[in-house]
Amino acid sequence: MSTSSRFIRGEIGKNNPLFSMARVTIETAFYGNNVIPVFSPSEAYKLAKDSPGTIVTDLHVFKPEKVGLECDSRVLLFNDGAVTGRCATARRILGEPGVDEAEYGAKIREAIYNTRSRKMYHAQAYIGLDENFMVKAHLLVPETHENLIYNWLLNFQPINEFYNGMYETSEGFEGEGDIFVFSDPEWQHPDHPLGLSFFDPEHNCAAILGMRYFGEFKKGTLTLAWGCANRRGFAACHGGQKRYNLQDRKFVVGFFGLSGSGKSTLTHAKHGGKYDVTVLHDDAFVISSSDGSSVALEPSYFDKTSDYPLSSEDNKYLLSVQNVGATQDDEGRIVIVTEDIRNGNGRAIKSKLWSPNRVDRFDEPVDSIVWLMKDPSIPPVVRVVDPVLASTMGATLATKRTSAERLAPGVDPNALVIEPYANPFRTYPLSADFDRFLELFTSRSIDCYIFNTGYFRDLKVPKDLTLQILELIVERRAEFVPWGPFTELETMEIKGFIPDLTDESYKKLVRDRLVDRLSFLRSREIERGGFDKLPAETAESIYSLVERLR
């Protein structure tokens, strides 16, 4: 899917739906005489290496030529300060109640004006790695923040001859413009003490102001790309997907969960070499509603460093690191200190080579979707056999907040929260995701499972147990039984994790969590002016379960 950035002169004007106040304001900033184009990762590397505060480690990038870098490139470390996570509270999405385009247009114009005396760096990349879905994106970042440009070009697909050719032959969709993201991490405004990330999703533009954490730029760009995907007949997926290449068939499974839910662990699990496995991606992809195929949106991996000490073999594939420590080894070489000793949510961008069995597209339709939850009422695995309830459970995905998020004051980081489809980056009505996934479950007969990767009551669900359950499903050896009175839900009999609904305290826990889901669905009818209102059948499917527990 190619997007538009050049227009016949007669098409330029207020009658062209591609232009809006926000779009024209943001795109105009890219053509100032203080803007310097950055064409490649190697050029961005040189800028980032010399940027104030960058630490050039003595860790060498593995096969740098494969990612557009020069030989002898080193892993660069840059730390942000107090903030080491995303801030959902700072988001303002045009089209939602209370977001006035004139007000934010004025704030963005002033922000752009105040960057006129600084160099601004303009980078371009493709979001989507197959001609079936490709969007061109542009990022503008001021000097002294060169690491943001570098990491953005490492995370997404830089412009080059091969991908230019693919983009030129990709399917074009009228009415979609290129993505433009303007930023100024040093911006301050009394109305926005946590910063501002403004989105005009219908016109594919954003302004990220007063925010330094790279995750804001990665997810901000993906936010707009996922919006394009939804409008063009794809399911937007914040999760991982892999394919098991079995002797008699292929099995494609997607895992949907927030950071820390286990989606990367499950996506990259090698199962001790038992299977021939191919990975699509562990964080961002889209599924076509027309044929069930999938396309990865990014070549690299933005991974936590907490589970990877310096000696870990996985660190061989590091390209850059953020918000971790540094020290010297016994030979005086500068190396990184990981495991979240310095702060929570230390991060790294890892090369595509981390997964030697990686591809950018699955032609095979997805077979199973797994909602990853951290809900103590749910046993280690549940199979959802009703399509409406399957999509509803995705819309009421219950989990815990993670260190990847910067929470507003007063928010309990340990509270159970509902994050629909594990995607806090949605800029379009929630009903659009419900419809997309319902269509997949209904028309493509995709199986739906819930994996609890947290605690079942007061028992931690071991990672090895989750992997064992996955293997049984892949091999078609999983034996499911009805879960109490629920004909739409089935579970496995696992010693120590029996969901016994004759236990009144447990029965109350299950009912309370279902009521939480029901309350959430009903709240969508009111909050944000009903922007995320869901069809009545969603609440009905949960209410039916509650009634059977009376």
Side-chain angles (χ1 to χ4, degrees):
M1 187 186 88
S2 59
T3 47
S4 302
S5 60
R6 296 184 179 184
F7 306 92
I8 298 170
R9 290 194 176 193
E11 296 178 351
I12 298 174
K14 63 182 180 180
N15 293 325
N16 188 330
L18 283 176
F19 295 110
S20 69
M21 175 188 288
R23 169 78 182 203
V24 172
T25 299
I26 290 170
E27 183 182 351
T28 299
F30 284 74
Y31 307 119
N33 61 5
N34 60 330
V35 174
I36 299 172
V38 180
F39 295 105
S40 67
S42 60
E43 187 177 349
Y45 174 86
K46 294 172 184 175
L47 293 171
K49 180 171 66 70
D50 295 334
S51 185
T54 299
I55 296 173
V56 182
T57 74
D58 288 311
L59 304 174
H60 290 266
V61 172
F62 178 66
K63 295 187 177 179
E65 71 283 355
K66 296 287 187 180
V67 292
L69 298 175
E70 296 178 0
C71 63
D72 201 37
S73 293
R74 309 293 181 92
V75 175
L76 302 185
L77 163 59
F78 190 82
N79 292 324
D80 294 315
V83 177
T84 60
R86 300 184 315 272
C87 185
T89 309
R91 288 194 158 212
R92 300 292 185 273
I93 299 170
L94 190 62
E96 292 188 1
V99 180
D100 180 69
E101 185 171 24
E103 174 193 347
Y104 287 97
K107 290 177 178 177
I108 295 168
R109 290 197 303 273
E110 188 69 12
I112 292 170
Y113 175 81
N114 288 329
T115 62
R116 73 196 187 285
S117 60
R118 286 184 278 168
K119 290 180 184 177
M120 302 291 289
Y121 295 106
H122 174 197
Q124 301 180 54
Y126 292 123
I127 319 301
L129 306 176
D130 182 83
E131 59 188 17
N132 196 38
F133 185 87
M134 294 184 77
V135 178
K136 183 180 283 188
H138 306 254
L139 175 65
L140 197 62
V141 172
E143 63 180 331
T144 75
H145 297 281
E146 291 83 358
N147 280 275
L148 289 172
I149 283 282
Y150 179 54
N151 289 327
W152 192 79
L153 285 173
L154 291 177
N155 188 84
F156 296 111
Q157 178 55 55
I159 307 293
N160 60 35
E161 185 177 353
F162 176 80
Y163 281 95
N164 278 340
M166 182 184 293
Y167 184 73
E168 291 301 321
T169 59
S170 65
E171 183 177 356
F173 284 93
E174 187 176 352
E176 293 289 352
D178 287 5
I179 289 172
F180 283 89
V181 180
F182 169 82
S183 73
D184 180 5
E186 297 175 27
W187 180 86
Q188 294 181 336
H189 196 285
D191 293 347
H192 306 279
L194 299 179
L196 169 66
S197 49
F198 171 87
F199 296 89
D200 178 356
E202 294 294 327
H203 298 92
N204 291 339
C205 61
I208 301 176
L209 305 173
M211 309 174 96
R212 300 187 292 258
Y213 174 60
F214 173 68
E216 298 284 4
F217 293 78
K218 168 189 161 72
K219 284 305 196 299
T221 306
L222 286 172
T223 289
L224 296 172
W226 275 322
C228 290
N230 180 266
R231 289 191 293 273
R232 300 302 173 179
F234 293 84
C237 302
H238 180 220
Q241 195 176 73
K242 69 196 300 186
R243 184 182 66 210
Y244 293 83
N245 307 305
L246 307 174
Q247 289 186 349
D248 58 337
R249 60 192 168 87
K250 293 183 178 179
F251 182 84
V252 177
V253 57
F255 307 99
F256 293 73
L258 291 181
S259 270
S261 66
K263 72 177 186 295
S264 293
T265 299
L266 290 168
T267 302
H268 294 289
K270 296 180 173 61
H271 303 277
K274 289 172 61 176
Y275 310 103
D276 176 15
V277 174
T278 306
V279 171
L280 183 78
H281 201 260
D282 69 355
D283 188 62
F285 62 99
V286 295
I287 300 174
S288 169
S289 297
S290 62
D291 61 11
S293 63
S294 305
V295 175
L297 299 187
E298 310 164 301
S300 306
Y301 304 100
F302 187 50
D303 200 24
K304 289 188 174 185
T305 60
S306 55
D307 295 330
Y308 303 99
L310 177 63
S311 58
S312 172
E313 181 64 21
D314 296 84
N315 288 333
K316 171 182 178 181
Y317 303 99
L318 295 178
L319 299 177
S320 70
V321 282
Q322 305 90 41
N323 300 319
V324 303
T327 189
Q328 296 183 63
D329 67 9
D330 55 353
E331 296 183 11
R333 296 172 298 191
I334 298 175
V335 295
I336 57 175
V337 180
T338 57
E339 301 178 280
D340 283 1
I341 297 173
R342 179 183 183 269
N343 49 262
N345 198 41
R347 287 280 174 165
I349 297 180
K350 290 179 179 174
S351 164
K352 184 176 182 176
L353 301 174
W354 185 36
S355 294
N357 48 353
R358 166 74 190 274
V359 296
D360 296 329
R361 173 189 167 103
F362 283 162
D363 290 319
E364 300 82 6
V366 60
D367 294 290
S368 295
I369 283 175
V370 179
W371 307 128
L372 301 177
M373 302 201 193
K374 292 189 174 183
D375 179 343
S377 73
I378 295 176
V381 59
V382 173
R383 181 163 65 181
V384 188
V385 297
D386 176 72
V388 171
L389 185 58
S391 191
T392 300
M393 293 305 283
T396 58
L397 189 146
T399 187
K400 297 285 186 72
R401 293 299 183 197
T402 77
S403 60
E405 299 170 275
R406 179 189 183 191
L407 303 178
V411 175
D412 182 1
N414 297 312
L416 194 67
V417 295
I418 290 176
E419 193 62 76
Y421 305 103
N423 191 348
F425 316 107
R426 185 181 303 99
T427 56
Y428 47 86
L430 177 56
S431 59
D433 271 348
F434 173 79
D435 291 339
R436 285 273 177 256
F437 284 101
L438 178 60
E439 184 178 5
L440 290 173
F441 288 127
T442 303
S443 63
R444 310 213 65 84
S445 301
I446 294 172
D447 291 331
C448 176
Y449 300 92
I450 299 169
F451 285 2
N452 181 0
T453 58
Y455 282 80
F456 173 63
R457 304 188 77 174
D458 57 353
L459 293 174
K460 179 71 176 77
V461 180
K463 179 178 70 174
D464 290 343
L465 175 58
T466 302
L467 289 171
Q468 181 184 351
I469 292 168
L470 176 59
E471 291 177 5
L472 290 173
I473 292 171
V474 170
E475 297 172 10
R476 293 177 175 169
R477 295 192 296 114
E479 297 181 2
F480 286 89
V481 296
W483 184 12
F486 306 135
T487 56
E488 308 92 333
L489 301 174
E490 299 173 344
T491 187
M492 293 175 63
E493 295 183 335
I494 301 170
K495 186 177 180 180
F497 295 91
I498 302 298
D500 182 10
L501 290 172
T502 65
D503 180 330
E504 287 300 321
S505 64
Y506 175 62
K507 182 178 179 179
K508 181 180 184 301
L509 177 64
V510 174
R511 186 178 183 278
D512 288 348
R513 294 292 78 77
L514 289 172
V515 170
D516 287 345
R517 287 178 166 83
L518 188 59
S519 299
F520 173 82
L521 292 171
R522 288 174 174 165
S523 72
R524 298 307 92 187
E525 300 174 9
I526 301 170
E527 291 187 14
R528 300 166 78 191
F531 184 81
D532 284 329
K533 180 180 179 180
L534 288 167
E537 59 188 331
T538 59
E540 291 167 0
S541 68
I542 300 294
Y543 181 75
S544 173
L545 301 179
V546 174
E547 282 295 291
R548 274 172 273 174
L549 288 178
R550 289 191 183 277

